[in-house]
Amino acid sequence: DVQLVESGGGLVKPGGSLRLSCAASGITVSIAWMNWVRQAPGKGLEWVGHIKSKIDGGAADYAAPVKGRFTISRDDSANTLFLEMNSLKTEDTAVYYCATEDSSGCIDFWGQGVLVTVSS
Amino acid sequence: DIVMTQSPDSLAVSLGERATINCKSSQNVLYSSNNKNYLAWHQQKPGQPPKLLISWASTRESGVPDRFSGRGSGTDFTLTISSLQAEDVAVYYCQHYYNTPYAFGQGTKLEI
């Protein structure tokens, strides 16, 4: 069975940085397309970005609100996905979900999520 | 960028009755080369992460009850629950995966 377990969330001040991790089991992150999706408190889902599989080039793509501030990467040896978040703003406060994507682009499995709070 | 708009924002339906949620994309999400609609429906129950219900606009995931069905093509889609059960209380989101940035509708809250 696929399991995705996010960690690394917490409280950070505006302008600060945080790195989220998503430990995967049941899948191999190097051959999967992996996403980050966030959900602000009481709000809907917002796509943050994804990283292509190694065989497809491994490049990442981002939503406009986070481009230039967030970076998606992975550690193949640890089978873990990361989201490096810099220059954090209060509007980045959300639960961040790690999710897999099938070969067609459909997001097909979600982790449990981790809360990030950006506040002074 | 493709924008997804759902209607209604919330819906109350009696147990055993039909529930219908609409989703409209600002651009066509039907790929002419394979005649497939790049449209998914996700269900998020209170306090839980989302779960994929339907892909390709109408293909139910394994284990999803057949009371859930998806229809539509191009820019207009619907999710129908034929006979509402108590466990179907959730927020439902449509999502396109035609290109990036992927986008979700604002969600429809379904209540009894």
Side-chain angles (χ1 to χ4, degrees), chain A residues 35 39 43-45 47 50 61 97 101 104-108 110-112, chain B residues 38 40 42 44 48-52 55-56 93 95 97 100-102 104 106:
Chain A
N35 290 258
Q39 185 170 35
K43 302 296 184 184
L45 301 170
W47 184 75
H50 72 180
D61 196 5
Y97 295 101
E101 176 180 328
S104 66
C106 183
I107 293 174
D108 59 356
W110 300 72
Q112 289 296 311
Chain B
Y38 284 63
H42 301 269
Q44 187 176 31
Q48 294 186 20
K51 173 190 165 187
L52 176 65
S55 59
W56 301 124
Y93 296 92
Q95 178 233 331
Y97 46 104
T100 57
Y102 299 153
F104 295 86
Q106 79 276 18

PDB file of all heavy atoms in Angstrom, chain A residues 35 39 43-45 47 50 61 97 101 104-108 110-112, chain B residues 38 40 42 44 48-52 55-56 93 95 97 100-102 104 106:
ATOM      1  N   ASN A  35       3.542  15.755  -6.201  1.00  0.00           N
ATOM      2  CA  ASN A  35       2.960  17.091  -6.060  1.00  0.00           C
ATOM      3  C   ASN A  35       2.960  17.576  -4.608  1.00  0.00           C
ATOM      4  O   ASN A  35       2.982  16.779  -3.667  1.00  0.00           O
ATOM      5  CB  ASN A  35       1.486  17.056  -6.497  1.00  0.00           C
ATOM      6  CG  ASN A  35       1.309  16.876  -7.973  1.00  0.00           C
ATOM      7  OD1 ASN A  35       1.035  17.827  -8.698  1.00  0.00           O
ATOM      8  ND2 ASN A  35       1.450  15.641  -8.445  1.00  0.00           N
ATOM      9  N   GLN A  39      -3.834  23.851   1.555  1.00  0.00           N
ATOM     10  CA  GLN A  39      -5.206  24.219   1.905  1.00  0.00           C
ATOM     11  C   GLN A  39      -5.166  25.172   3.088  1.00  0.00           C
ATOM     12  O   GLN A  39      -4.857  24.767   4.217  1.00  0.00           O
ATOM     13  CB  GLN A  39      -6.021  22.969   2.242  1.00  0.00           C
ATOM     14  CG  GLN A  39      -7.491  23.225   2.491  1.00  0.00           C
ATOM     15  CD  GLN A  39      -8.283  21.929   2.579  1.00  0.00           C
ATOM     16  OE1 GLN A  39      -7.818  20.905   3.079  1.00  0.00           O
ATOM     17  NE2 GLN A  39      -9.505  21.951   2.063  1.00  0.00           N
ATOM     18  N   LYS A  43     -10.413  26.893   3.821  1.00  0.00           N
ATOM     19  CA  LYS A  43     -10.481  27.214   2.387  1.00  0.00           C
ATOM     20  C   LYS A  43     -10.339  25.962   1.524  1.00  0.00           C
ATOM     21  O   LYS A  43     -10.267  24.840   2.037  1.00  0.00           O
ATOM     22  CB  LYS A  43      -9.354  28.209   2.030  1.00  0.00           C
ATOM     23  CG  LYS A  43      -9.400  29.500   2.820  1.00  0.00           C
ATOM     24  CD  LYS A  43     -10.643  30.309   2.548  1.00  0.00           C
ATOM     25  CE  LYS A  43     -10.608  31.646   3.273  1.00  0.00           C
ATOM     26  NZ  LYS A  43     -11.863  32.413   3.085  1.00  0.00           N
ATOM     27  N   GLY A  44     -10.284  26.187   0.206  1.00  0.00           N
ATOM     28  CA  GLY A  44     -10.190  25.079  -0.736  1.00  0.00           C
ATOM     29  C   GLY A  44      -8.758  24.673  -1.025  1.00  0.00           C
ATOM     30  O   GLY A  44      -7.809  25.143  -0.393  1.00  0.00           O
ATOM     31  N   LEU A  45      -8.613  23.784  -1.994  1.00  0.00           N
ATOM     32  CA  LEU A  45      -7.317  23.223  -2.348  1.00  0.00           C
ATOM     33  C   LEU A  45      -6.614  24.103  -3.381  1.00  0.00           C
ATOM     34  O   LEU A  45      -7.244  24.616  -4.311  1.00  0.00           O
ATOM     35  CB  LEU A  45      -7.506  21.816  -2.920  1.00  0.00           C
ATOM     36  CG  LEU A  45      -8.198  20.818  -1.987  1.00  0.00           C
ATOM     37  CD1 LEU A  45      -8.559  19.547  -2.747  1.00  0.00           C
ATOM     38  CD2 LEU A  45      -7.302  20.489  -0.801  1.00  0.00           C
ATOM     39  N   TRP A  47      -3.080  24.043  -5.822  1.00  0.00           N
ATOM     40  CA  TRP A  47      -1.875  23.352  -6.305  1.00  0.00           C
ATOM     41  C   TRP A  47      -0.657  24.231  -6.102  1.00  0.00           C
ATOM     42  O   TRP A  47      -0.686  25.416  -6.472  1.00  0.00           O
ATOM     43  CB  TRP A  47      -2.063  22.995  -7.782  1.00  0.00           C
ATOM     44  CG  TRP A  47      -0.955  22.218  -8.385  1.00  0.00           C
ATOM     45  CD1 TRP A  47      -0.692  20.893  -8.194  1.00  0.00           C
ATOM     46  CD2 TRP A  47       0.015  22.697  -9.317  1.00  0.00           C
ATOM     47  NE1 TRP A  47       0.403  20.516  -8.949  1.00  0.00           N
ATOM     48  CE2 TRP A  47       0.862  21.603  -9.652  1.00  0.00           C
ATOM     49  CE3 TRP A  47       0.286  23.932  -9.907  1.00  0.00           C
ATOM     50  CZ2 TRP A  47       1.920  21.705 -10.537  1.00  0.00           C
ATOM     51  CZ3 TRP A  47       1.342  24.051 -10.796  1.00  0.00           C
ATOM     52  CH2 TRP A  47       2.144  22.939 -11.100  1.00  0.00           C
ATOM     53  N   HIS A  50       4.794  20.574  -8.768  1.00  0.00           N
ATOM     54  CA  HIS A  50       5.145  19.158  -8.863  1.00  0.00           C
ATOM     55  C   HIS A  50       6.541  18.997  -9.428  1.00  0.00           C
ATOM     56  O   HIS A  50       7.140  19.944  -9.957  1.00  0.00           O
ATOM     57  CB  HIS A  50       4.102  18.361  -9.655  1.00  0.00           C
ATOM     58  CG  HIS A  50       4.083  18.624 -11.147  1.00  0.00           C
ATOM     59  ND1 HIS A  50       3.200  17.995 -11.990  1.00  0.00           N
ATOM     60  CD2 HIS A  50       4.811  19.428 -11.949  1.00  0.00           C
ATOM     61  CE1 HIS A  50       3.387  18.398 -13.228  1.00  0.00           C
ATOM     62  NE2 HIS A  50       4.359  19.279 -13.232  1.00  0.00           N
ATOM     63  N   ASP A  61       7.822  22.291 -11.535  1.00  0.00           N
ATOM     64  CA  ASP A  61       6.963  23.359 -12.039  1.00  0.00           C
ATOM     65  C   ASP A  61       6.160  23.879 -10.860  1.00  0.00           C
ATOM     66  O   ASP A  61       5.773  23.086  -9.991  1.00  0.00           O
ATOM     67  CB  ASP A  61       6.050  22.785 -13.128  1.00  0.00           C
ATOM     68  CG  ASP A  61       5.410  23.845 -13.982  1.00  0.00           C
ATOM     69  OD1 ASP A  61       5.720  25.044 -13.816  1.00  0.00           O
ATOM     70  OD2 ASP A  61       4.561  23.480 -14.820  1.00  0.00           O
ATOM     71  N   TYR A  97      -0.161  19.251   1.649  1.00  0.00           N
ATOM     72  CA  TYR A  97      -0.293  17.829   1.325  1.00  0.00           C
ATOM     73  C   TYR A  97       0.725  17.439   0.251  1.00  0.00           C
ATOM     74  O   TYR A  97       0.895  18.160  -0.744  1.00  0.00           O
ATOM     75  CB  TYR A  97      -1.680  17.523   0.763  1.00  0.00           C
ATOM     76  CG  TYR A  97      -2.832  17.715   1.722  1.00  0.00           C
ATOM     77  CD1 TYR A  97      -3.629  18.857   1.674  1.00  0.00           C
ATOM     78  CD2 TYR A  97      -3.152  16.734   2.665  1.00  0.00           C
ATOM     79  CE1 TYR A  97      -4.692  19.019   2.535  1.00  0.00           C
ATOM     80  CE2 TYR A  97      -4.213  16.896   3.532  1.00  0.00           C
ATOM     81  CZ  TYR A  97      -4.985  18.044   3.465  1.00  0.00           C
ATOM     82  OH  TYR A  97      -6.041  18.205   4.323  1.00  0.00           O
ATOM     83  N   GLU A 101       0.985  11.519  -8.535  1.00  0.00           N
ATOM     84  CA  GLU A 101       0.326  11.849  -9.787  1.00  0.00           C
ATOM     85  C   GLU A 101       0.547  10.664 -10.722  1.00  0.00           C
ATOM     86  O   GLU A 101       1.672  10.163 -10.817  1.00  0.00           O
ATOM     87  CB  GLU A 101       0.998  13.112 -10.332  1.00  0.00           C
ATOM     88  CG  GLU A 101       0.569  13.615 -11.659  1.00  0.00           C
ATOM     89  CD  GLU A 101       1.334  14.878 -12.051  1.00  0.00           C
ATOM     90  OE1 GLU A 101       1.710  15.683 -11.185  1.00  0.00           O
ATOM     91  OE2 GLU A 101       1.568  15.048 -13.256  1.00  0.00           O
ATOM     92  N   SER A 104      -0.810  10.157 -16.382  1.00  0.00           N
ATOM     93  CA  SER A 104      -1.561  11.121 -17.188  1.00  0.00           C
ATOM     94  C   SER A 104      -1.608  12.495 -16.543  1.00  0.00           C
ATOM     95  O   SER A 104      -2.070  13.462 -17.161  1.00  0.00           O
ATOM     96  CB  SER A 104      -2.998  10.627 -17.374  1.00  0.00           C
ATOM     97  OG  SER A 104      -3.678  10.622 -16.128  1.00  0.00           O
ATOM     98  N   GLY A 105      -1.151  12.593 -15.287  1.00  0.00           N
ATOM     99  CA  GLY A 105      -1.190  13.871 -14.579  1.00  0.00           C
ATOM    100  C   GLY A 105      -2.234  13.944 -13.501  1.00  0.00           C
ATOM    101  O   GLY A 105      -2.303  14.940 -12.766  1.00  0.00           O
ATOM    102  N   CYS A 106      -3.064  12.908 -13.377  1.00  0.00           N
ATOM    103  CA  CYS A 106      -4.122  12.936 -12.373  1.00  0.00           C
ATOM    104  C   CYS A 106      -3.540  12.703 -10.975  1.00  0.00           C
ATOM    105  O   CYS A 106      -2.816  11.730 -10.756  1.00  0.00           O
ATOM    106  CB  CYS A 106      -5.156  11.864 -12.692  1.00  0.00           C
ATOM    107  SG  CYS A 106      -6.557  11.846 -11.565  1.00  0.00           S
ATOM    108  N   ILE A 107      -3.836  13.600 -10.038  1.00  0.00           N
ATOM    109  CA  ILE A 107      -3.414  13.419  -8.651  1.00  0.00           C
ATOM    110  C   ILE A 107      -4.238  12.276  -8.084  1.00  0.00           C
ATOM    111  O   ILE A 107      -5.472  12.363  -8.011  1.00  0.00           O
ATOM    112  CB  ILE A 107      -3.608  14.717  -7.851  1.00  0.00           C
ATOM    113  CG1 ILE A 107      -2.638  15.788  -8.368  1.00  0.00           C
ATOM    114  CG2 ILE A 107      -3.401  14.474  -6.365  1.00  0.00           C
ATOM    115  CD1 ILE A 107      -2.828  17.162  -7.744  1.00  0.00           C
ATOM    116  N   ASP A 108      -3.557  11.181  -7.677  1.00  0.00           N
ATOM    117  CA  ASP A 108      -4.312   9.971  -7.357  1.00  0.00           C
ATOM    118  C   ASP A 108      -4.156   9.484  -5.928  1.00  0.00           C
ATOM    119  O   ASP A 108      -4.896   8.583  -5.507  1.00  0.00           O
ATOM    120  CB  ASP A 108      -3.989   8.847  -8.349  1.00  0.00           C
ATOM    121  CG  ASP A 108      -2.508   8.483  -8.374  1.00  0.00           C
ATOM    122  OD1 ASP A 108      -1.706   9.137  -7.680  1.00  0.00           O
ATOM    123  OD2 ASP A 108      -2.152   7.536  -9.098  1.00  0.00           O
ATOM    124  N   TRP A 110      -3.116  10.957  -1.764  1.00  0.00           N
ATOM    125  CA  TRP A 110      -2.764  12.084  -0.915  1.00  0.00           C
ATOM    126  C   TRP A 110      -2.190  11.625   0.420  1.00  0.00           C
ATOM    127  O   TRP A 110      -2.646  10.632   0.986  1.00  0.00           O
ATOM    128  CB  TRP A 110      -4.015  12.910  -0.613  1.00  0.00           C
ATOM    129  CG  TRP A 110      -4.720  13.482  -1.787  1.00  0.00           C
ATOM    130  CD1 TRP A 110      -5.471  12.799  -2.705  1.00  0.00           C
ATOM    131  CD2 TRP A 110      -4.774  14.858  -2.167  1.00  0.00           C
ATOM    132  NE1 TRP A 110      -5.984  13.685  -3.644  1.00  0.00           N
ATOM    133  CE2 TRP A 110      -5.572  14.951  -3.327  1.00  0.00           C
ATOM    134  CE3 TRP A 110      -4.220  16.028  -1.637  1.00  0.00           C
ATOM    135  CZ2 TRP A 110      -5.827  16.173  -3.968  1.00  0.00           C
ATOM    136  CZ3 TRP A 110      -4.471  17.242  -2.259  1.00  0.00           C
ATOM    137  CH2 TRP A 110      -5.277  17.307  -3.414  1.00  0.00           C
ATOM    138  N   GLY A 111      -1.222  12.396   0.937  1.00  0.00           N
ATOM    139  CA  GLY A 111      -0.762  12.183   2.302  1.00  0.00           C
ATOM    140  C   GLY A 111      -1.744  12.795   3.279  1.00  0.00           C
ATOM    141  O   GLY A 111      -2.777  13.357   2.880  1.00  0.00           O
ATOM    142  N   GLN A 112      -1.419  12.713   4.565  1.00  0.00           N
ATOM    143  CA  GLN A 112      -2.301  13.220   5.604  1.00  0.00           C
ATOM    144  C   GLN A 112      -2.190  14.725   5.796  1.00  0.00           C
ATOM    145  O   GLN A 112      -3.091  15.347   6.353  1.00  0.00           O
ATOM    146  CB  GLN A 112      -1.980  12.519   6.937  1.00  0.00           C
ATOM    147  CG  GLN A 112      -2.392  11.068   6.969  1.00  0.00           C
ATOM    148  CD  GLN A 112      -3.893  10.903   6.855  1.00  0.00           C
ATOM    149  OE1 GLN A 112      -4.677  11.540   7.558  1.00  0.00           O
ATOM    150  NE2 GLN A 112      -4.340  10.026   5.947  1.00  0.00           N
TER     151      GLN A 112
ATOM    152  N   TYR B  38      -9.380  15.709 -19.224  1.00  0.00           N
ATOM    153  CA  TYR B  38      -8.408  15.706 -18.127  1.00  0.00           C
ATOM    154  C   TYR B  38      -9.028  16.369 -16.895  1.00  0.00           C
ATOM    155  O   TYR B  38      -8.638  17.466 -16.472  1.00  0.00           O
ATOM    156  CB  TYR B  38      -7.113  16.387 -18.577  1.00  0.00           C
ATOM    157  CG  TYR B  38      -6.286  15.499 -19.478  1.00  0.00           C
ATOM    158  CD1 TYR B  38      -6.767  15.074 -20.715  1.00  0.00           C
ATOM    159  CD2 TYR B  38      -5.024  15.058 -19.080  1.00  0.00           C
ATOM    160  CE1 TYR B  38      -6.021  14.237 -21.527  1.00  0.00           C
ATOM    161  CE2 TYR B  38      -4.270  14.228 -19.882  1.00  0.00           C
ATOM    162  CZ  TYR B  38      -4.775  13.815 -21.105  1.00  0.00           C
ATOM    163  OH  TYR B  38      -4.027  12.986 -21.912  1.00  0.00           O
ATOM    164  N   ALA B  40     -10.760  15.522 -12.927  1.00  0.00           N
ATOM    165  CA  ALA B  40     -10.922  14.604 -11.805  1.00  0.00           C
ATOM    166  C   ALA B  40     -11.867  15.196 -10.766  1.00  0.00           C
ATOM    167  O   ALA B  40     -12.069  16.419 -10.695  1.00  0.00           O
ATOM    168  CB  ALA B  40      -9.560  14.324 -11.157  1.00  0.00           C
ATOM    169  N   HIS B  42     -12.438  14.943  -6.512  1.00  0.00           N
ATOM    170  CA  HIS B  42     -11.892  14.508  -5.231  1.00  0.00           C
ATOM    171  C   HIS B  42     -12.923  14.760  -4.138  1.00  0.00           C
ATOM    172  O   HIS B  42     -13.675  15.742  -4.189  1.00  0.00           O
ATOM    173  CB  HIS B  42     -10.612  15.285  -4.893  1.00  0.00           C
ATOM    174  CG  HIS B  42      -9.523  15.149  -5.906  1.00  0.00           C
ATOM    175  ND1 HIS B  42      -8.554  14.168  -5.833  1.00  0.00           N
ATOM    176  CD2 HIS B  42      -9.252  15.867  -7.020  1.00  0.00           C
ATOM    177  CE1 HIS B  42      -7.729  14.287  -6.855  1.00  0.00           C
ATOM    178  NE2 HIS B  42      -8.132  15.305  -7.594  1.00  0.00           N
ATOM    179  N   GLN B  44     -13.364  15.232   0.045  1.00  0.00           N
ATOM    180  CA  GLN B  44     -12.662  15.486   1.304  1.00  0.00           C
ATOM    181  C   GLN B  44     -13.665  15.468   2.450  1.00  0.00           C
ATOM    182  O   GLN B  44     -14.476  16.388   2.601  1.00  0.00           O
ATOM    183  CB  GLN B  44     -11.910  16.816   1.277  1.00  0.00           C
ATOM    184  CG  GLN B  44     -11.042  17.023   2.519  1.00  0.00           C
ATOM    185  CD  GLN B  44     -10.210  18.291   2.463  1.00  0.00           C
ATOM    186  OE1 GLN B  44     -10.604  19.288   1.865  1.00  0.00           O
ATOM    187  NE2 GLN B  44      -9.046  18.268   3.100  1.00  0.00           N
ATOM    188  N   GLN B  48     -10.116  14.988   7.168  1.00  0.00           N
ATOM    189  CA  GLN B  48      -9.335  14.012   6.406  1.00  0.00           C
ATOM    190  C   GLN B  48      -8.696  14.669   5.186  1.00  0.00           C
ATOM    191  O   GLN B  48      -9.144  15.735   4.735  1.00  0.00           O
ATOM    192  CB  GLN B  48     -10.242  12.868   5.941  1.00  0.00           C
ATOM    193  CG  GLN B  48     -10.802  12.032   7.068  1.00  0.00           C
ATOM    194  CD  GLN B  48     -11.574  10.834   6.542  1.00  0.00           C
ATOM    195  OE1 GLN B  48     -11.408  10.408   5.399  1.00  0.00           O
ATOM    196  NE2 GLN B  48     -12.432  10.273   7.392  1.00  0.00           N
ATOM    197  N   PRO B  49      -7.660  14.023   4.627  1.00  0.00           N
ATOM    198  CA  PRO B  49      -7.135  14.516   3.352  1.00  0.00           C
ATOM    199  C   PRO B  49      -8.112  14.188   2.228  1.00  0.00           C
ATOM    200  O   PRO B  49      -9.002  13.352   2.391  1.00  0.00           O
ATOM    201  CB  PRO B  49      -5.828  13.719   3.183  1.00  0.00           C
ATOM    202  CG  PRO B  49      -6.066  12.458   3.926  1.00  0.00           C
ATOM    203  CD  PRO B  49      -6.942  12.833   5.096  1.00  0.00           C
ATOM    204  N   PRO B  50      -7.939  14.841   1.097  1.00  0.00           N
ATOM    205  CA  PRO B  50      -8.791  14.492  -0.063  1.00  0.00           C
ATOM    206  C   PRO B  50      -8.525  13.064  -0.526  1.00  0.00           C
ATOM    207  O   PRO B  50      -7.487  12.466  -0.217  1.00  0.00           O
ATOM    208  CB  PRO B  50      -8.358  15.502  -1.126  1.00  0.00           C
ATOM    209  CG  PRO B  50      -7.709  16.616  -0.382  1.00  0.00           C
ATOM    210  CD  PRO B  50      -7.051  15.960   0.808  1.00  0.00           C
ATOM    211  N   LYS B  51      -9.485  12.578  -1.287  1.00  0.00           N
ATOM    212  CA  LYS B  51      -9.395  11.234  -1.867  1.00  0.00           C
ATOM    213  C   LYS B  51      -9.916  11.314  -3.296  1.00  0.00           C
ATOM    214  O   LYS B  51     -10.969  11.930  -3.547  1.00  0.00           O
ATOM    215  CB  LYS B  51     -10.246  10.262  -1.048  1.00  0.00           C
ATOM    216  CG  LYS B  51     -10.390   8.874  -1.628  1.00  0.00           C
ATOM    217  CD  LYS B  51     -11.438   8.083  -0.859  1.00  0.00           C
ATOM    218  CE  LYS B  51     -11.878   6.847  -1.625  1.00  0.00           C
ATOM    219  NZ  LYS B  51     -13.000   6.152  -0.980  1.00  0.00           N
ATOM    220  N   LEU B  52      -9.176  10.709  -4.229  1.00  0.00           N
ATOM    221  CA  LEU B  52      -9.613  10.703  -5.625  1.00  0.00           C
ATOM    222  C   LEU B  52     -10.804   9.778  -5.788  1.00  0.00           C
ATOM    223  O   LEU B  52     -10.762   8.607  -5.412  1.00  0.00           O
ATOM    224  CB  LEU B  52      -8.463  10.230  -6.534  1.00  0.00           C
ATOM    225  CG  LEU B  52      -8.806  10.073  -8.009  1.00  0.00           C
ATOM    226  CD1 LEU B  52      -9.164  11.422  -8.635  1.00  0.00           C
ATOM    227  CD2 LEU B  52      -7.647   9.417  -8.759  1.00  0.00           C
ATOM    228  N   SER B  55     -11.546   9.888 -12.227  1.00  0.00           N
ATOM    229  CA  SER B  55     -10.597  10.479 -13.166  1.00  0.00           C
ATOM    230  C   SER B  55     -11.176  10.413 -14.571  1.00  0.00           C
ATOM    231  O   SER B  55     -12.195   9.739 -14.804  1.00  0.00           O
ATOM    232  CB  SER B  55      -9.260   9.745 -13.099  1.00  0.00           C
ATOM    233  OG  SER B  55      -9.429   8.375 -13.414  1.00  0.00           O
ATOM    234  N   TRP B  56     -10.536  11.089 -15.506  1.00  0.00           N
ATOM    235  CA  TRP B  56     -11.017  11.128 -16.896  1.00  0.00           C
ATOM    236  C   TRP B  56     -12.499  11.506 -16.982  1.00  0.00           C
ATOM    237  O   TRP B  56     -13.212  11.029 -17.854  1.00  0.00           O
ATOM    238  CB  TRP B  56     -10.802   9.786 -17.607  1.00  0.00           C
ATOM    239  CG  TRP B  56      -9.380   9.322 -17.680  1.00  0.00           C
ATOM    240  CD1 TRP B  56      -8.886   8.136 -17.222  1.00  0.00           C
ATOM    241  CD2 TRP B  56      -8.261  10.019 -18.240  1.00  0.00           C
ATOM    242  NE1 TRP B  56      -7.542   8.053 -17.463  1.00  0.00           N
ATOM    243  CE2 TRP B  56      -7.123   9.199 -18.101  1.00  0.00           C
ATOM    244  CE3 TRP B  56      -8.095  11.276 -18.851  1.00  0.00           C
ATOM    245  CZ2 TRP B  56      -5.860   9.572 -18.534  1.00  0.00           C
ATOM    246  CZ3 TRP B  56      -6.833  11.651 -19.288  1.00  0.00           C
ATOM    247  CH2 TRP B  56      -5.734  10.808 -19.125  1.00  0.00           C
ATOM    248  N   TYR B  93     -14.397  18.442  -4.780  1.00  0.00           N
ATOM    249  CA  TYR B  93     -13.623  19.341  -5.623  1.00  0.00           C
ATOM    250  C   TYR B  93     -13.433  18.730  -7.004  1.00  0.00           C
ATOM    251  O   TYR B  93     -13.070  17.557  -7.119  1.00  0.00           O
ATOM    252  CB  TYR B  93     -12.221  19.565  -5.037  1.00  0.00           C
ATOM    253  CG  TYR B  93     -12.177  20.264  -3.700  1.00  0.00           C
ATOM    254  CD1 TYR B  93     -12.169  19.542  -2.512  1.00  0.00           C
ATOM    255  CD2 TYR B  93     -12.126  21.660  -3.620  1.00  0.00           C
ATOM    256  CE1 TYR B  93     -12.118  20.181  -1.283  1.00  0.00           C
ATOM    257  CE2 TYR B  93     -12.077  22.311  -2.389  1.00  0.00           C
ATOM    258  CZ  TYR B  93     -12.075  21.556  -1.235  1.00  0.00           C
ATOM    259  OH  TYR B  93     -12.014  22.198  -0.019  1.00  0.00           O
ATOM    260  N   GLN B  95     -11.043  19.066 -10.438  1.00  0.00           N
ATOM    261  CA  GLN B  95      -9.648  19.464 -10.687  1.00  0.00           C
ATOM    262  C   GLN B  95      -9.292  19.110 -12.122  1.00  0.00           C
ATOM    263  O   GLN B  95      -9.571  17.999 -12.577  1.00  0.00           O
ATOM    264  CB  GLN B  95      -8.707  18.726  -9.741  1.00  0.00           C
ATOM    265  CG  GLN B  95      -7.224  19.033  -9.946  1.00  0.00           C
ATOM    266  CD  GLN B  95      -6.368  17.798 -10.132  1.00  0.00           C
ATOM    267  OE1 GLN B  95      -6.681  16.727  -9.631  1.00  0.00           O
ATOM    268  NE2 GLN B  95      -5.266  17.937 -10.864  1.00  0.00           N
ATOM    269  N   TYR B  97      -6.309  18.455 -14.993  1.00  0.00           N
ATOM    270  CA  TYR B  97      -4.883  18.139 -15.121  1.00  0.00           C
ATOM    271  C   TYR B  97      -4.476  18.196 -16.592  1.00  0.00           C
ATOM    272  O   TYR B  97      -3.591  17.469 -17.040  1.00  0.00           O
ATOM    273  CB  TYR B  97      -4.540  16.788 -14.473  1.00  0.00           C
ATOM    274  CG  TYR B  97      -5.453  15.617 -14.788  1.00  0.00           C
ATOM    275  CD1 TYR B  97      -5.073  14.631 -15.681  1.00  0.00           C
ATOM    276  CD2 TYR B  97      -6.672  15.477 -14.129  1.00  0.00           C
ATOM    277  CE1 TYR B  97      -5.893  13.541 -15.944  1.00  0.00           C
ATOM    278  CE2 TYR B  97      -7.498  14.396 -14.388  1.00  0.00           C
ATOM    279  CZ  TYR B  97      -7.112  13.440 -15.297  1.00  0.00           C
ATOM    280  OH  TYR B  97      -7.937  12.366 -15.548  1.00  0.00           O
ATOM    281  N   THR B 100      -0.227  22.468 -16.711  1.00  0.00           N
ATOM    282  CA  THR B 100       0.070  23.191 -15.474  1.00  0.00           C
ATOM    283  C   THR B 100      -0.077  24.686 -15.721  1.00  0.00           C
ATOM    284  O   THR B 100       0.189  25.164 -16.837  1.00  0.00           O
ATOM    285  CB  THR B 100       1.490  22.887 -14.969  1.00  0.00           C
ATOM    286  OG1 THR B 100       2.442  23.203 -15.987  1.00  0.00           O
ATOM    287  CG2 THR B 100       1.612  21.424 -14.565  1.00  0.00           C
ATOM    288  N   PRO B 101      -0.516  25.435 -14.720  1.00  0.00           N
ATOM    289  CA  PRO B 101      -0.803  24.985 -13.363  1.00  0.00           C
ATOM    290  C   PRO B 101      -2.117  24.208 -13.262  1.00  0.00           C
ATOM    291  O   PRO B 101      -3.141  24.627 -13.805  1.00  0.00           O
ATOM    292  CB  PRO B 101      -0.904  26.293 -12.580  1.00  0.00           C
ATOM    293  CG  PRO B 101      -1.364  27.299 -13.586  1.00  0.00           C
ATOM    294  CD  PRO B 101      -0.732  26.899 -14.880  1.00  0.00           C
ATOM    295  N   TYR B 102      -2.059  23.030 -12.585  1.00  0.00           N
ATOM    296  CA  TYR B 102      -3.290  22.330 -12.278  1.00  0.00           C
ATOM    297  C   TYR B 102      -4.149  23.268 -11.430  1.00  0.00           C
ATOM    298  O   TYR B 102      -3.628  24.149 -10.737  1.00  0.00           O
ATOM    299  CB  TYR B 102      -3.009  21.060 -11.485  1.00  0.00           C
ATOM    300  CG  TYR B 102      -2.139  20.042 -12.199  1.00  0.00           C
ATOM    301  CD1 TYR B 102      -1.349  19.155 -11.475  1.00  0.00           C
ATOM    302  CD2 TYR B 102      -2.089  19.949 -13.589  1.00  0.00           C
ATOM    303  CE1 TYR B 102      -0.557  18.210 -12.107  1.00  0.00           C
ATOM    304  CE2 TYR B 102      -1.294  19.015 -14.227  1.00  0.00           C
ATOM    305  CZ  TYR B 102      -0.522  18.149 -13.483  1.00  0.00           C
ATOM    306  OH  TYR B 102       0.272  17.227 -14.107  1.00  0.00           O
ATOM    307  N   PHE B 104      -8.013  23.556  -8.998  1.00  0.00           N
ATOM    308  CA  PHE B 104      -9.187  22.968  -8.377  1.00  0.00           C
ATOM    309  C   PHE B 104     -10.340  23.966  -8.414  1.00  0.00           C
ATOM    310  O   PHE B 104     -10.119  25.188  -8.391  1.00  0.00           O
ATOM    311  CB  PHE B 104      -8.899  22.637  -6.902  1.00  0.00           C
ATOM    312  CG  PHE B 104      -7.850  21.586  -6.696  1.00  0.00           C
ATOM    313  CD1 PHE B 104      -6.501  21.927  -6.658  1.00  0.00           C
ATOM    314  CD2 PHE B 104      -8.197  20.251  -6.534  1.00  0.00           C
ATOM    315  CE1 PHE B 104      -5.524  20.965  -6.471  1.00  0.00           C
ATOM    316  CE2 PHE B 104      -7.231  19.277  -6.342  1.00  0.00           C
ATOM    317  CZ  PHE B 104      -5.893  19.633  -6.317  1.00  0.00           C
ATOM    318  N   GLN B 106     -13.556  25.628  -6.344  1.00  0.00           N
ATOM    319  CA  GLN B 106     -13.568  26.164  -4.972  1.00  0.00           C
ATOM    320  C   GLN B 106     -14.173  25.194  -3.963  1.00  0.00           C
ATOM    321  O   GLN B 106     -14.072  25.427  -2.759  1.00  0.00           O
ATOM    322  CB  GLN B 106     -14.313  27.511  -4.937  1.00  0.00           C
ATOM    323  CG  GLN B 106     -15.834  27.410  -4.935  1.00  0.00           C
ATOM    324  CD  GLN B 106     -16.444  27.271  -6.306  1.00  0.00           C
ATOM    325  OE1 GLN B 106     -15.774  26.917  -7.281  1.00  0.00           O
ATOM    326  NE2 GLN B 106     -17.736  27.582  -6.403  1.00  0.00           N
TER     327      GLN B 106
END
